[in-house]
Amino acid sequence: MIYKTEVKDARFPLEGNAGSDAIHRDPVYSYAVTQLLDSGGLVGTGFAFTLGEGNELVCQAAHYYAKKLVGLDIEDLMADFGTFYKSLSDDQQFRWLGPHKGVVHLALASVTNACYDLWAKKRGVPLWKLLTDLSPEAIVNTLDLSYLEDELTKEQAISILTEQEAGKSDRESILKTGYPGYDTSVGWFNYSDEKVRENCHKALSEGFTAMKLKVGSADPERDIRRAHIVREVAGDNAKVMLDANQQWNLPNAISICKKLSSMNPYWIEEPTHPDDVLAHQTLAKEIAPVKLALGEHVPNKVIFKNYLQANAAAFIQVDAVRVGGVSEFLTISLLCKKFGIPVVPHVGDMGQLHQHLVLYNHMGMGHEALFLEHIPHLQKHFVHPARIRNGVYETPQEPGSSCDLIKF
Amino acid sequence: MIYKTEVKDARFPLEGNAGSDAIHRDPVYSYAVTQLLDSGGLVGTGFAFTLGEGNELVCQAAHYYAKKLVGLDIEDLMADFGTFYKSLSDDQQFRWLGPHKGVVHLALASVTNACYDLWAKKRGVPLWKLLTDLSPEAIVNTLDLSYLEDELTKEQAISILTEQEAGKSDRESILKTGYPGYDTSVGWFNYSDEKVRENCHKALSEGFTAMKLKVGSADPERDIRRAHIVREVAGDNAKVMLDANQQWNLPNAISICKKLSSMNPYWIEEPTHPDDVLAHQTLAKEIAPVKLALGEHVPNKVIFKNYLQANAAAFIQVDAVRVGGVSEFLTISLLCKKFGIPVVPHVGDMGQLHQHLVLYNHMGMGHEALFLEHIPHLQKHFVHPARIRNGVYETPQEPGSSCDLIKF
């Protein structure tokens, strides 16, 4: 039984312009951390990610949700978590502050993730194993599919998962090979050209074959120059992604993306405002065959549904520490599966939680094991930091979701 | 000069099921109030609206923004408010908590509205007069048109306003006749059929010719029965609006709206999730000629742009205490003008602020003077409560935006 909940405000200043992008020049990577103390002696840990300022607001909102968990048994709770999740996200008064977005939704992510972590710890298995061993019905019982009925009913969700049961054991080979990673940290926005070049060489020497550059400069020529530097160092076979972090409006995005197409980007990420489904739809048509990726700022399943319906993105970057936690992440992954679009999460969690989720997405849901973003900056703060060797995430073996932080 | 800012948490419990709808059964009408103390002795007051729980989070976020105003002169600030507004809404770290939605955006509304209130008080005029007397350029300088460039550039915005200068003096006749109101309080969700019937009679006797019923019951027959009660009492010439407050999913909405069409609703409001632009687009096509209204939960100009582009709503119900205050309200009104769609605000402010804004929308922007929602429940808490006679808002004459609250 969960007898107590604690919420903590954890902030980790970064060094040397790490984490900077076109919009967020000075981030302090921060977590609003929920801990569920279980009478069996276990502690479930989950968090949401912010850039510092206002992290305390997410903590306060998480406390409001977390206190509703006191007295509950984790197995009972998770047997019908979808209903509980909906009751929290549609809380009569609190709902007005969203709904399903912003501070309250980040808080819900923190609390939800702590529930899944405790559940896996209780069963003594890594989260990827817990999820993979669940029946299709048991997975779907942890989801809230409301407002998706036009695209994904409960029956359809169970059917998608059931269809994937057959190939599951084959896909379990990923556990041995490990899940491929890509290096996000070669080209933070404030890094000099020289540092970008140096970091690309380093990424290649570490075994990465995919890497990302931040673009979205006031001067498009800077973007183009730097993109070609990365391509030159990485070679024609590497996957190079460009990330504008919402910096462009639609007319600018069309013009600059066309220019950037000459260096053959694997995708162009967050070209414009994350709420602008129709701008992304127009842009995707205009710049095809160049592909768009987005999702790190998309708050919920409803907007993801619109992006998928609009055929506006070739890669969906849902982040389980931005949407309402593991539950909504899985819901959105199911939607993507239905639409045939790969899930390549943004990792506000630095990949700790998502290394479990992409393994499940591949084994249980039949998603392609494309690659997972790798950001190394907070490694020293985790009890079980993700292990990347030769550009590949090694399969985590510790019980839970690898989200425990060293005392902070 | 603004020498001090204060943020206050004001909550007003309601009596007897007032305010209840299909989703929000037990609201406590609340304001996160920002006050700007000016060295000239004036106090600018603005607020955002919530349903109670979490109002303190909006207050804290408003405090974060408000402190950036200390030391500024209000006339200097408002001369280029659009730039200042963008700097707040794109604050490097705080932005992650939205962007442009949820708690931080409600907080921005509170602070922005206090700026416009102080500005009008400084000039000694009601806000409607301040706005109406400004040049097109001066109005547009208070707006942030970023991410709208595909539909509304600064030049286009100025041009729309300039075209309306000619008919302005004719439209000023609205100041004498008053702005029509409609009665939202005849049919709150939890009211009995008898109370709804009684309230309809009362609304008619008070001079209203338009009124709204809350629908979205688990039992559609209840909705249909009550809708016909209102139509029966109000007569065929009255405008009767139905409000589902997001209760339906798309398949349900299509089915129930078709059934409700027989009582000839003037509009059906918030049929489904406020983020679901494409569901509203589909629904609007399916149930035409029945019209949709929405906006009370739409957080920003970008999503409104999508709704307009999708031709998904016949009435836009933007609320200046939900979006980023008067500035973004005016931006969205301009977008609506461009698309030829009327603005009929939701009044989280109980009409206090919006009575000014719709007068300006009509006189300065050339919007039709359709009607403004009237909710009477907080009248006794305002220093200058809106005056409704014979179903019409009398033009407010006090300097400012009529948002000062009696000591709370």
Side-chain angles (χ1 to χ4, degrees):
Chain A
M1 192 193 72
I2 297 164
Y3 70 92
K4 190 180 174 185
T5 63
E6 289 181 355
V7 179
K8 294 175 182 171
D9 185 335
R11 306 192 188 206
F12 307 104
L14 304 174
E15 284 167 20
N17 289 327
S20 56
D21 66 45
I23 292 273
H24 313 94
R25 305 292 172 101
D26 183 23
V28 176
Y29 281 6
S30 301
Y31 293 129
V33 184
T34 297
Q35 295 194 305
L36 307 178
L37 283 63
D38 191 85
S39 50
L42 296 170
V43 178
T45 301
F47 53 73
F49 176 63
T50 80
L51 294 190
E53 203 68 66
N55 198 53
E56 74 281 5
L57 301 175
V58 182
C59 289
Q60 287 174 55
H63 179 70
Y64 175 78
Y65 288 133
K67 66 189 183 194
K68 296 174 193 283
L69 288 161
V70 174
L72 301 183
D73 174 83
I74 191 68
E75 286 286 353
D76 293 346
L77 175 64
M78 301 313 290
D80 186 25
F81 188 74
T83 303
F84 184 78
Y85 174 95
K86 183 166 165 58
S87 77
L88 293 190
S89 72
D90 280 346
D91 180 280
Q92 296 287 300
Q93 298 183 3
F94 224 47
R95 188 184 188 284
W96 192 269
L97 305 176
H100 316 139
K101 56 179 71 71
V103 167
V104 296
H105 211 54
L106 289 163
L108 184 59
S110 175
V111 173
T112 295
N113 291 338
C115 291
Y116 280 84
D117 183 67
L118 179 59
W119 194 21
K121 284 174 176 164
K122 198 86 172 184
R123 294 199 178 182
V125 295
L127 181 59
W128 61 259
K129 180 159 174 57
L130 170 99
L131 296 173
T132 308
D133 289 348
L134 290 174
S135 70
E137 291 78 7
I139 286 280
V140 173
N141 283 343
T142 70
L143 311 182
D144 166 21
L145 302 177
S146 57
Y147 294 115
L148 302 182
E149 293 83 352
D150 49 326
E151 293 291 357
L152 186 72
T153 64
K154 186 168 180 176
E155 293 65 35
Q156 289 166 334
I158 290 171
S159 156
I160 288 173
L161 293 175
T162 306
E163 278 168 26
Q164 296 299 327
E165 292 280 294
K168 203 191 248 185
S169 56
D170 282 353
R171 290 192 300 274
E172 285 177 0
S173 62
I174 192 81
L175 297 171
K176 290 205 174 126
T177 56
Y179 201 94
Y182 77 81
D183 190 342
T184 284
S185 302
V186 303
W188 292 113
F189 192 80
N190 292 344
Y191 283 176
S192 68
D193 289 9
E194 255 333 288
K195 181 148 188 180
V196 170
R197 190 182 292 273
E198 192 181 297
N199 283 344
C200 289
H201 283 296
K202 188 158 159 278
L204 292 170
S205 73
E206 286 170 354
F208 288 102
T209 57
M211 57 199 73
K212 190 151 84 184
L213 174 75
K214 296 290 182 177
V215 294
S217 174
D219 170 19
E221 295 307 318
R222 178 184 191 254
D223 290 347
I224 293 163
R225 183 182 74 238
R226 289 158 69 91
H228 281 281
I229 289 175
V230 178
R231 174 57 72 205
E232 179 202 321
V233 178
D236 287 344
N237 293 328
K239 295 185 172 87
V240 178
M241 289 77 82
L242 305 177
D243 185 357
N245 291 90
Q246 317 168 26
Q247 183 68 1
W248 302 318
N249 58 43
L250 178 57
N252 287 347
I254 293 172
S255 149
I256 299 171
C257 289
K258 284 182 175 172
K259 288 181 188 160
L260 288 168
S261 69
S262 68
M263 61 70 68
N264 191 27
Y266 188 67
W267 71 49
I268 296 179
E269 180 172 339
E270 277 210 311
T272 188
H273 198 287
D275 296 342
D276 204 338
V277 174
L278 298 182
H280 285 85
Q281 184 183 46
T282 301
L283 180 62
K285 282 183 198 158
E286 286 276 343
I287 66 167
V290 175
K291 292 175 175 172
L292 297 182
L294 64 88
E296 86 179 69
H297 275 81
V298 175
N300 63 50
K301 63 193 176 186
V302 175
I303 307 180
F304 276 112
K305 181 182 70 170
N306 273 213
Y307 272 111
L308 291 164
Q309 290 171 320
N311 200 18
F315 303 92
I316 287 294
Q317 300 177 299
V318 52
D319 187 336
V321 296
R322 156 75 69 186
V323 299
V326 172
S327 173
E328 196 167 16
F329 177 94
L330 297 175
T331 300
I332 293 159
S333 295
L334 271 168
L335 268 179
C336 290
K337 181 66 189 169
K338 189 204 153 177
F339 280 88
I341 297 291
V343 175
V344 190
H346 175 263
V347 298
D349 64 319
M350 308 298 124
Q352 295 292 130
L353 171 60
H354 286 101
Q355 61 183 333
H356 296 264
L357 300 179
V358 292
L359 284 173
Y360 170 71
N361 269 6
H362 178 60
M363 294 186 292
M365 223 178 266
H367 272 291
E368 185 188 353
L370 201 52
F371 48 30
L372 180 63
E373 180 170 27
H374 170 57
I375 310 179
H377 304 310
L378 302 186
Q379 288 251 321
K380 66 182 174 192
H381 300 292
F382 285 101
V383 176
H384 299 286
R387 292 177 304 273
I388 319 289
R389 294 229 179 117
N390 293 322
V392 168
Y393 275 86
E394 290 184 6
T395 299
Q397 300 299 340
E398 61 276 6
S401 65
S402 311
C403 286
D404 286 304
L405 288 149
I406 293 168
K407 201 178 168 191
F408 53 90
Chain B
M1 192 193 73
I2 297 163
Y3 70 92
K4 190 179 173 185
T5 64
E6 289 181 354
V7 179
K8 294 175 181 170
D9 185 334
R11 307 193 187 205
F12 308 104
L14 303 174
E15 284 167 20
N17 290 327
S20 57
D21 66 45
I23 292 275
H24 313 94
R25 305 292 172 99
D26 183 23
V28 175
Y29 281 7
S30 301
Y31 292 129
V33 185
T34 298
Q35 295 193 305
L36 306 177
L37 281 64
D38 191 84
S39 50
L42 296 170
V43 178
T45 301
F47 54 73
F49 176 63
T50 80
L51 294 191
E53 204 67 66
N55 198 53
E56 73 281 5
L57 301 175
V58 183
C59 289
Q60 289 174 55
H63 179 70
Y64 175 77
Y65 288 133
K67 65 190 183 194
K68 297 174 193 279
L69 288 162
V70 173
L72 301 182
D73 174 82
I74 191 67
E75 286 286 353
D76 293 348
L77 175 65
M78 300 313 291
D80 185 25
F81 187 74
T83 303
F84 184 77
Y85 175 95
K86 183 168 165 56
S87 76
L88 292 189
S89 72
D90 280 345
D91 181 279
Q92 296 286 304
Q93 297 182 4
F94 224 46
R95 187 184 189 283
W96 191 269
L97 304 175
H100 316 138
K101 57 179 70 71
V103 166
V104 297
H105 211 54
L106 289 163
L108 185 60
S110 176
V111 172
T112 295
N113 291 339
C115 290
Y116 281 84
D117 183 67
L118 179 58
W119 195 21
K121 284 173 177 165
K122 198 88 173 185
R123 295 198 177 183
V125 295
L127 181 60
W128 61 260
K129 181 161 175 55
L130 170 105
L131 295 173
T132 308
D133 289 349
L134 289 174
S135 70
E137 291 78 7
I139 286 279
V140 174
N141 283 344
T142 70
L143 310 182
D144 166 22
L145 302 177
S146 57
Y147 294 115
L148 302 182
E149 293 83 352
D150 49 326
E151 294 290 356
L152 186 71
T153 63
K154 185 168 181 175
E155 293 66 36
Q156 289 167 334
I158 291 171
S159 155
I160 289 173
L161 293 176
T162 305
E163 278 168 27
Q164 297 299 328
E165 292 279 295
K168 205 191 248 186
S169 56
D170 282 353
R171 291 191 299 273
E172 285 176 359
S173 62
I174 192 82
L175 298 171
K176 290 206 176 121
T177 57
Y179 200 94
Y182 77 81
D183 189 343
T184 284
S185 302
V186 303
W188 293 114
F189 191 80
N190 292 344
Y191 284 176
S192 68
D193 288 10
E194 255 333 287
K195 182 150 187 181
V196 170
R197 190 183 292 273
E198 192 181 296
N199 284 343
C200 290
H201 283 295
K202 186 158 159 277
L204 292 169
S205 73
E206 286 170 355
F208 288 103
T209 59
M211 57 200 74
K212 190 153 83 186
L213 175 75
K214 296 290 183 177
V215 295
S217 174
D219 170 19
E221 295 307 318
R222 178 185 192 252
D223 291 347
I224 293 163
R225 183 183 72 238
R226 289 156 69 90
H228 282 280
I229 289 174
V230 178
R231 173 58 72 205
E232 179 202 320
V233 179
D236 287 345
N237 293 328
K239 295 185 172 86
V240 178
M241 288 77 82
L242 305 177
D243 185 357
N245 291 90
Q246 317 167 28
Q247 183 68 1
W248 302 318
N249 59 43
L250 177 58
N252 287 346
I254 293 172
S255 149
I256 300 171
C257 288
K258 284 183 175 172
K259 288 181 187 159
L260 288 168
S261 70
S262 68
M263 59 71 68
N264 191 26
Y266 187 66
W267 71 50
I268 296 179
E269 180 172 337
E270 276 209 311
T272 188
H273 198 286
D275 297 342
D276 205 337
V277 175
L278 298 182
H280 284 86
Q281 184 183 45
T282 301
L283 180 62
K285 281 183 198 157
E286 286 277 343
I287 66 167
V290 175
K291 291 174 175 173
L292 297 182
L294 63 89
E296 85 180 69
H297 276 82
V298 176
N300 62 50
K301 63 192 176 187
V302 174
I303 307 180
F304 276 112
K305 182 182 69 170
N306 273 213
Y307 271 111
L308 291 164
Q309 290 171 321
N311 199 19
F315 303 92
I316 288 292
Q317 300 178 298
V318 51
D319 187 335
V321 296
R322 157 74 68 186
V323 300
V326 172
S327 173
E328 194 167 16
F329 177 95
L330 296 175
T331 300
I332 293 159
S333 295
L334 271 167
L335 266 180
C336 289
K337 181 67 188 165
K338 189 204 152 178
F339 280 88
I341 298 290
V343 175
V344 189
H346 174 263
V347 297
D349 64 320
M350 308 298 125
Q352 295 293 130
L353 171 59
H354 286 101
Q355 61 184 332
H356 295 264
L357 299 179
V358 293
L359 285 172
Y360 169 71
N361 268 6
H362 178 60
M363 295 187 292
M365 223 177 265
H367 272 291
E368 183 188 354
L370 201 52
F371 48 30
L372 179 63
E373 180 169 28
H374 170 57
I375 310 180
H377 305 309
L378 302 187
Q379 287 251 321
K380 65 182 176 192
H381 301 292
F382 286 101
V383 176
H384 299 286
R387 291 178 304 276
I388 319 290
R389 295 226 181 120
N390 293 323
V392 168
Y393 275 85
E394 290 184 6
T395 298
Q397 299 299 339
E398 61 277 6
S401 64
S402 311
C403 287
D404 287 304
L405 287 150
I406 292 168
K407 200 177 168 192
F408 54 88

